[in-house]
Amino acid sequence: MSIGGGIALIVIGAILTFALNVTVGWINLQLVGDILMVAGVIIVIIGIILMVRKRRSIVTTRQSVDPQAGQRYDTVDRQDDVEP
């Protein structure tokens, strides 16, 4: 979602900067387009960084026997970590 939103901001900013030939007295559309393009690039970079992060999951399984009942049981521990 963030990568698509960033690309949309880049496209809208490029249209405002390069394709529009309208002069408005109270706002500079080229500056707004430049700001939108920079914001879009930042959002795309953040989206790529968040996608590339590694996730690590450690699963430990222990098998034990209950000495009184004589039944075997399994214990599963799971630890989810995110590597920076």
Side-chain angles (χ1 to χ4, degrees):
M1 180 82 178
S2 63
I3 294 175
I7 291 173
L9 284 178
I10 292 170
V11 168
I12 293 169
I15 290 171
L16 287 176
T17 300
F18 303 117
L20 229 62
N21 219 2
V22 178
T23 303
V24 181
W26 56 277
I27 193 167
N28 186 354
L29 291 178
Q30 288 182 341
L31 180 62
V32 171
D34 291 338
I35 292 171
L36 287 177
M37 284 192 294
V38 169
V41 168
I42 291 171
I43 290 174
V44 167
I45 290 171
I46 290 173
I48 290 172
I49 289 172
L50 291 176
M51 264 183 22
V52 174
R53 286 191 316 176
K54 294 182 180 179
R55 291 194 171 267
R56 182 179 62 193
S57 179
I58 299 172
V59 178
T60 306
T61 305
R62 289 185 219 134
Q63 296 181 349
S64 301
V65 177
D66 186 8
Q68 293 177 351
Q71 293 181 349
R72 190 176 79 175
Y73 61 94
D74 298 332
T75 306
V76 178
D77 295 326
R78 181 178 177 152
Q79 180 182 3
D80 294 325
D81 292 331
V82 177
E83 291 183 10

